[in-house]
Amino acid sequence: MPLTLRLALRDWDYMTPLVLGDVSSPKLDIKVDRVGTLVSHVGKSDAYDAAETSFSRYTQMRIDGDESVVGIPNFIMRGFRHRCVITTKESPITSFAQLAGKRIGVTGWRDSGNTWTRAALRREGVGVEDAIWYAGRLTEAHPITDRLDGFGRPGRIEAAPGERPMVDLLKEGLLDAIFTPFMPDGYFAGNSGFRQLLPDFRAAEHRYFADVGYVPGMHLIGLKAEIVAEHPWVIAELSRLIDESQRMWLSKRRKYAETTPFMLDELLKSATELPEGWDASGFAANRKMIADFAEELHVQGILPRLMTPEELFPFDVDGSRTSAA
């Protein structure tokens, strides 16, 4: 009898084979729930046994001594961040260095993606203390919530004025740039009035990869610790299925690339411009990235002390213990 595992995931395309059952296991009966908002704490959830989890919030759990969730170093969401900074088409700003002293909007201060984007700015000489920050909702369609998450500081990090949508503030010149991984509705129509801040963000991302050697990870898979304790093999089996789903989907996307014009060209470029295994799961493959992220969280004042990769991930994707665990 296979073990039933209730798993919450966002709608990432490469999870389609897993969702549809094209990838399966005789040991695990995975029930995937497609969610728009990440489960805030799977360890406290009655609905799920495992979930896509924010890297930043997971590190906060670990430093707080909360071991109810076991993070698997299988990063289900990765992405370069240079493309995630937008401004108006009329803006004279074309480099991260020019954001010094400017007003920048973020969709959540502690969000993993925004942490990585601030890291990219810091590499260009613009740290947290070198800009004025506002946290708020991207558009009218997004809810009004506390996006400062306890890190607000008057005059430096504040809520968006009047909780107004940041795209409106950007249009009106009250913001100079916005960090967002998801472009607002209408952005791709060509007449949105917005653009990526970096004219050649792809070249910047190439330089970044050459320097650091990885594509930043934002989300990982978190499992309830009680399940891992009772069924230690679950880590390896779940990670294997996720990796297999990704491989199967990439094969299908390459075969059916004509569904989106120019997609074949992008797939060819990705295959030739990034080394094989750039998206590999596992502790060793991601140790430097994990260490760099922990350092950023500390430098940016989100974590009170520097954590080691081994502290954050006591288990590898095959279920074995990491060296310091």
Side-chain angles (χ1 to χ4, degrees):
M1 177 73 71
L3 175 69
T4 298
L5 194 75
R6 302 165 299 168
L7 174 64
L9 295 174
R10 275 185 173 171
D11 261 342
W12 304 115
D13 55 3
Y14 46 81
M15 291 296 98
T16 301
L18 183 65
V19 172
L20 295 180
D22 295 336
V23 171
S24 61
S25 164
K27 301 171 69 176
L28 276 181
D29 178 18
I30 298 181
K31 306 293 186 185
V32 178
D33 190 0
R34 299 154 55 203
V35 296
T37 302
L38 296 188
V39 176
S40 60
H41 193 314
V42 68
K44 299 178 180 178
S45 172
D46 293 328
Y48 303 109
D49 307 304
E52 180 179 347
T53 302
S54 160
F55 194 0
S56 175
R57 294 183 184 276
Y58 172 71
T59 61
Q60 188 67 55
M61 281 190 278
R62 299 296 296 182
I63 204 168
D64 288 344
D66 182 350
E67 298 183 354
S68 63
V69 177
V70 173
I72 307 175
N74 191 318
F75 292 90
I76 197 165
M77 178 189 177
R78 295 177 184 262
F80 289 119
R81 304 303 299 180
H82 297 74
R83 65 190 61 202
C84 297
V85 185
I86 65 173
T87 187
T88 61
K89 288 185 176 178
E90 295 77 21
S91 172
I93 302 173
T94 56
S95 73
F96 283 173
Q98 289 175 291
L99 287 173
K102 297 298 192 293
R103 297 155 300 182
I104 305 173
V106 297
T107 50
W109 185 256
R110 192 171 59 174
D111 291 357
S112 304
N114 290 331
T115 299
W116 279 118
T117 311
R118 288 192 299 268
L121 261 67
R122 196 164 72 86
R123 294 174 66 86
E124 302 299 325
V126 182
V128 170
E129 304 302 321
D130 300 314
I132 302 168
W133 306 87
Y134 295 95
R137 53 182 177 153
L138 183 63
T139 70
E140 187 76 35
H142 293 87
I144 296 175
T145 62
D146 175 17
R147 297 172 187 271
L148 292 171
D149 214 358
F151 293 96
R153 283 191 283 140
R156 181 61 62 196
I157 308 168
E158 299 183 352
E163 298 289 357
R164 296 181 60 208
M166 290 194 298
V167 291
D168 294 345
L169 297 173
L170 184 59
K171 286 178 182 177
E172 296 171 17
L174 299 176
L175 290 178
D176 297 293
I178 295 173
F179 291 3
T180 175
F182 306 116
M183 299 302 111
D185 288 343
Y187 189 87
F188 296 97
N191 60 352
S192 68
F194 302 123
R195 63 168 173 83
Q196 260 72 31
L197 185 141
L198 299 180
D200 192 351
F201 58 82
R202 190 183 190 113
E205 291 165 353
H206 273 286
R207 291 191 296 272
Y208 178 85
F209 186 85
D211 287 343
V212 303
Y214 55 74
V215 178
M218 268 70 74
H219 297 169
L220 52 98
I221 294 296
L223 264 167
K224 283 184 174 178
E226 60 197 55
I227 293 177
V228 173
E230 187 175 355
H231 308 283
W233 54 268
V234 168
I235 290 178
E237 191 67 3
L238 177 57
S239 190
R240 182 188 69 79
L241 291 172
I242 289 171
D243 287 347
E244 181 58 29
S245 185
Q246 289 177 308
R247 284 190 291 268
M248 183 179 290
W249 183 252
L250 178 59
S251 176
K252 289 178 180 290
R253 186 163 57 174
R254 286 172 171 172
K255 182 176 182 179
Y256 301 119
E258 68 273 13
T259 57
T260 303
F262 313 120
M263 179 57 72
L264 180 61
D265 183 49
E266 287 300 311
L267 290 168
L268 287 169
K269 286 180 178 177
S270 293
T272 57
E273 295 174 6
L274 289 173
E276 186 175 356
W278 66 267
D279 57 348
S281 60
F283 186 77
N286 292 284
R287 192 185 188 285
K288 182 179 186 300
M289 187 266 287
I290 295 166
D292 286 355
F293 187 67
E295 180 181 5
E296 282 301 326
L297 290 171
H298 180 51
V299 169
Q300 295 181 28
I302 295 172
L303 291 187
R305 70 170 177 85
L306 182 63
M307 297 192 74
T308 67
E310 289 79 8
E311 285 181 280
L312 291 171
F313 293 95
F315 293 96
D316 206 342
V317 291
D318 61 358
S320 64
R321 289 269 182 175
T322 56
S323 59

